[in-house]
Amino acid sequence: TIFESTNFVVMPHPKNEVDRLDGGHIVINPKVVIEDRQQLTPDQAKELMRLTILIGEAMKRYYKSIGIELHRINYQDNGNWRPEQHYHLYGRAKNAKYQKAGDPIISGHKDEYENLTSDDVAGLRKETIQLLTEPNYSDSEWGFSLNT
């Protein structure tokens, strides 16, 4: 687990569609299964949006710290194969080997895609916790806590 908030768990996708060195693939899952975003309460919706912003910035900072510049993060609200609300964050590295920045994601896990390592998870967790102390990302700035 990269991060856990009141209503969501952030983790590496178990069948990643982006190689870790191409930017990685993270999923945000609700702790209580729901079908789609219409079932989110207003507080859960705000929490999910805040998490996408927080984790996206943590990805950019972490990848930069290991020498990989991300072109952008692609955010996708999915539920096609697993008809339950979950949110994907796909890192898009400028010098990607498999999933070229600017090209559409080629969906599907490939055996050659390396998943995030335990060091990656620890680094992403550290960046996330650090961000929570900074303006624009702190509980006081958002007016609510992400703590469980």
Side-chain angles (χ1 to χ4, degrees):
T1 300
I2 295 167
F3 187 77
E4 188 171 336
S5 67
T6 303
N7 294 293
F8 299 92
V9 177
V10 180
M11 57 191 290
H13 196 285
K15 293 190 176 190
N16 56 312
E17 296 181 347
V18 177
D19 184 82
R20 68 175 284 270
L21 297 179
D22 279 5
H25 183 177
I26 292 174
V27 66
I28 301 174
N29 290 308
K31 289 181 178 178
V32 175
V33 174
I34 60 173
E35 185 177 345
D36 54 38
R37 66 174 51 209
Q38 288 83 354
Q39 294 175 329
L40 292 170
T41 67
D43 287 342
Q44 289 169 329
K46 289 187 279 188
E47 184 180 333
L48 177 58
M49 181 55 68
R50 182 176 175 198
L51 281 174
T52 64
I53 293 166
L54 179 70
I55 300 303
E57 181 63 22
M59 289 174 75
K60 287 182 178 181
R61 290 184 184 195
Y62 172 69
Y63 272 95
K64 185 175 183 178
S65 78
I66 63 168
I68 297 172
E69 189 174 356
L70 294 184
H71 170 68
R72 68 173 294 114
I73 309 287
N74 287 146
Y75 302 89
Q76 288 188 355
D77 179 348
N78 286 358
N80 300 318
W81 307 114
R82 185 182 100 200
E84 301 164 357
Q85 171 70 40
H86 58 288
Y87 213 89
H88 295 263
L89 285 77
Y90 301 103
R92 307 303 304 275
K94 287 188 176 183
N95 296 316
K97 179 178 179 181
Y98 302 107
Q99 297 276 13
K100 304 293 184 198
D103 288 349
I105 291 283
I106 301 166
S107 65
H109 172 74
K110 306 271 190 275
D111 289 338
E112 60 268 30
Y113 294 170
E114 185 180 342
N115 208 340
L116 297 176
T117 66
S118 58
D119 287 344
D120 295 328
V121 170
L124 287 160
R125 183 181 305 115
K126 179 181 174 188
E127 291 292 345
T128 301
I129 291 167
Q130 172 60 40
L131 280 165
L132 288 171
T133 69
E134 297 179 14
N136 297 329
Y137 301 99
S138 69
D139 288 348
S140 61
E141 185 76 20
W142 280 79
F144 66 94
S145 175
L146 286 175
N147 293 334
T148 56

